[in-house]
Amino acid sequence: MPMHFHLPRVQSFTNVMDQVRDVMKHYKHEKESEAHRIFRQSAGHKAKGVLPQTINPDEETVPGIEHPGSTGVIYCSDRAIANGFNYANSHDWANLGQGAPEVGPIPDAPPRPTSIPLPVDSLEYAPTTGVKALREAVAKLYNDTYRKGKASQYTYENVCIVPGGRAGLSRVAAVIGDVYTSYQIPDYTAYDQVLTAFKRLVPVPTALESSNKYKLDIEQTRKDIRTQGLAVILASNPRNPTGQVIKGSELKELVGLSREGTTLILDEFYSWYIYSDNEKDLGKSISSAEYIQDVNEDPIVIVDGLTKNWRLPGWRVCWVLGPKNLVTALSQSGSFLDGGANHPMQLAAIPLLDPIRVKGEKIALQKHFKMKRDHVLARLHDLHLDVAVPPTSTFYIWLNLEKLPEPLNNGLTFFEELLKEQTIVIPGIFFDINPAHRRNLFNSPCHSFVRLSFGPPIEDLDKGLDAMARVLKKARKEGMHAFGHSYKKSIDDRSSPVTLQHLQL
């Protein structure tokens, strides 16, 4: 059922406010939107010109330093802080932007870790490839889950422990030569920074379509490998932010592409967050590891860790799985990039990878997060914000706002309006991986979207959905003149009244 907005008749607004409202009704370019101008004023987010810029005088305060720009979650956190959020009052806010699951107990799950042993040896540096016992535990878990009966098995030599998923991706990027790298839009925000910072990776984008449920066209990808010389494919699977997943025969076919001379880097951090209505599928997860023929020959690189599946983001214990010669290269890149993962945490992680414990974790996680997904989708339906492509995996909802009236129909403005209601979401433009940063934001295929996380506890989800309901109710009752302006630039900003001067192009 469509949402209808009836704007009240204006009786006594000043001519200035009439002009302001008229400008806001006809957004065509990012310069016309206060939310978009605030974004561009943030360090690292200025639009680039037609020719590559080597110096940005507004940002290069230290000679030779080029600001990389913030990821979506960091930018949104900074904007929330400007609106009064801090970690002391975080319970007053609903953070539907967080890229992490709730970390407390959930029904029927194994108990949460509450203490970390500190043997004297653990006070030393760990090897840059990680503690051998943990590497063995990772290899055993993958063999037990995905490679039973296969001749080729993982060993500890196929595993590199890293201090977080971004560190793993950075290590991999650092050892890749001058290549064309395929990526998809939308996808995980950090890929933008990786493809920007590591100049030897030449980015080649593919836009995924909602009409096709954001599926990767594997046959087209095969053609692109042959005609464009793609040497690397980078993707999250299950996919952040759309909540879709490649599995079964499609995943097998995708893995097969690697044997045509292309390295496949798969970010599998949401591999347990798979939702099915069939009870017998509970506890099943997905990984490209199931379809690899030879673990030392097939150029498949898997990045995963404790962050999402084990719900332990603060531990910063993750891994990269791949051929032996890749792991030796990652040891070298780790020695100058990050120095290795936390030693005591690696030791504490070993018992958590026991296959029997993992099975219990998976079942509890899938039941609990499916319940939260269904709850959020039902509440969005009640708000007339139906999700065109509901998530079948991850804990994200990719919500299209295009049917809302201007200016609420774009992710940045919707985000700013929700900050006034102490709620955080992530604007869709952060998932438009755009290393050149030259596109008018209004032309982004992700411009009308926001990503909602149902990672937090359900009471926080309801708090955020209540805030969305208030914004939409205000739009219906008061009209659109109240939106699109008066955003705080900092915590000290008292938000002076809007004038035409604020909206000059």
Side-chain angles (χ1 to χ4, degrees), residues 229-300:
L230 299 178
V232 173
I233 297 173
L234 172 64
S236 60
N237 186 52
R239 190 175 297 281
N240 171 9
T242 59
Q244 305 307 302
V245 61
I246 303 171
K247 58 184 179 179
S249 59
E250 290 184 332
L251 182 54
K252 183 177 182 180
E253 188 177 1
L254 179 62
V255 169
L257 289 183
S258 68
R259 300 182 197 110
E260 300 184 21
T262 298
T263 295
L264 183 61
I265 304 171
L266 286 176
D267 167 350
E268 296 186 348
F269 271 88
Y270 301 93
S271 57
W272 294 6
Y273 292 84
I274 307 294
Y275 309 118
S276 172
D277 293 326
N278 195 330
E279 195 76 15
K280 70 179 179 64
D281 289 332
L282 268 176
K284 291 184 178 180
S285 55
I286 67 102
S287 175
S288 54
E290 183 174 357
Y291 303 105
I292 291 171
Q293 290 180 357
D294 189 311
V295 298
N296 289 311
E297 295 294 332
D298 288 359
I300 306 293

Side-chain angles (χ1 to χ4, degrees), residues 9-321:
R9 180 173 296 179
V10 178
Q11 300 292 339
S12 58
F13 277 106
T14 64
N15 290 335
V16 170
M17 288 307 296
D18 284 332
Q19 293 174 64
V20 170
R21 194 159 62 251
D22 186 64
V23 169
M24 289 166 50
K25 285 179 181 177
H26 300 93
Y27 285 163
K28 298 295 183 185
H29 193 279
E30 60 184 64
K31 291 182 180 180
E32 301 167 7
S33 164
E34 185 175 329
H36 292 69
R37 292 204 310 277
I38 291 172
F39 170 79
R40 285 299 195 194
Q41 289 163 6
S42 180
H45 291 153
K46 290 187 182 298
K48 302 289 177 66
V50 175
L51 297 176
Q53 293 174 316
T54 56
I55 295 176
N56 187 330
D58 295 329
E59 294 173 3
E60 192 176 337
T61 56
V62 178
I65 299 300
E66 181 180 354
H67 202 293
S70 59
T71 60
V73 171
I74 298 300
Y75 175 82
C76 295
S77 296
D78 288 346
R79 291 295 302 134
I81 289 169
N83 282 266
F85 172 85
N86 63 63
Y87 290 98
N89 73 354
S90 60
H91 293 296
D92 297 332
W93 283 66
N95 188 354
L96 275 58
Q98 70 178 58
E102 58 180 296
V103 298
I106 62 174
D108 303 322
R112 299 267 80 192
T114 57
S115 62
I116 303 297
L118 290 172
V120 173
D121 288 350
S122 74
L123 306 183
E124 298 279 358
Y125 287 126
T128 54
T129 47
V131 172
K132 182 181 177 183
L134 178 57
R135 296 166 69 192
E136 289 174 335
V138 172
K140 181 179 184 299
L141 180 61
Y142 276 79
N143 290 334
D144 184 82
T145 308
Y146 304 111
R147 301 197 61 77
K148 281 183 178 177
K150 297 182 186 294
S152 178
Q153 297 282 297
Y154 286 116
T155 72
Y156 76 93
E157 294 179 285
N158 298 108
V159 181
C160 182
I161 306 300
V162 292
R166 295 175 188 85
L169 289 168
S170 297
R171 285 201 195 189
V172 173
V175 300
I176 295 175
D178 298 303
V179 296
Y180 289 116
T181 303
S182 171
Y183 66 93
Q184 296 81 53
I185 299 171
D187 212 331
Y188 175 43
T189 63
Y191 299 164
D192 188 283
Q193 278 72 30
V194 168
L195 292 169
T196 301
F198 293 90
K199 307 294 186 184
R200 297 173 70 184
L201 281 65
V202 180
V204 180
T206 298
L208 305 181
E209 302 292 340
S210 61
S211 58
N212 195 33
K213 295 188 176 181
Y214 300 104
K215 284 187 177 181
L216 177 65
D217 187 330
I218 296 176
E219 192 53 44
Q220 182 60 50
T221 303
R222 178 177 283 109
K223 292 177 183 176
D224 292 342
I225 290 171
R226 294 169 181 169
T227 60
Q228 298 184 36
L230 299 178
V232 173
I233 297 173
L234 172 64
S236 60
N237 186 52
R239 190 175 297 281
N240 171 9
T242 59
Q244 305 307 302
V245 61
I246 303 171
K247 58 184 179 179
S249 59
E250 290 184 332
L251 182 54
K252 183 177 182 180
E253 188 177 1
L254 179 62
V255 169
L257 289 183
S258 68
R259 300 182 197 110
E260 300 184 21
T262 298
T263 295
L264 183 61
I265 304 171
L266 286 176
D267 167 350
E268 296 186 348
F269 271 88
Y270 301 93
S271 57
W272 294 6
Y273 292 84
I274 307 294
Y275 309 118
S276 172
D277 293 326
N278 195 330
E279 195 76 15
K280 70 179 179 64
D281 289 332
L282 268 176
K284 291 184 178 180
S285 55
I286 67 102
S287 175
S288 54
E290 183 174 357
Y291 303 105
I292 291 171
Q293 290 180 357
D294 189 311
V295 298
N296 289 311
E297 295 294 332
D298 288 359
I300 306 293
V301 182
I302 297 169
V303 189
D304 201 349
L306 302 186
T307 306
K308 306 298 195 282
N309 293 333
W310 280 260
R311 301 186 296 115
L312 295 170
W315 283 36
R316 312 305 295 158
V317 174
C318 299
W319 50 80
V320 179
L321 198 66

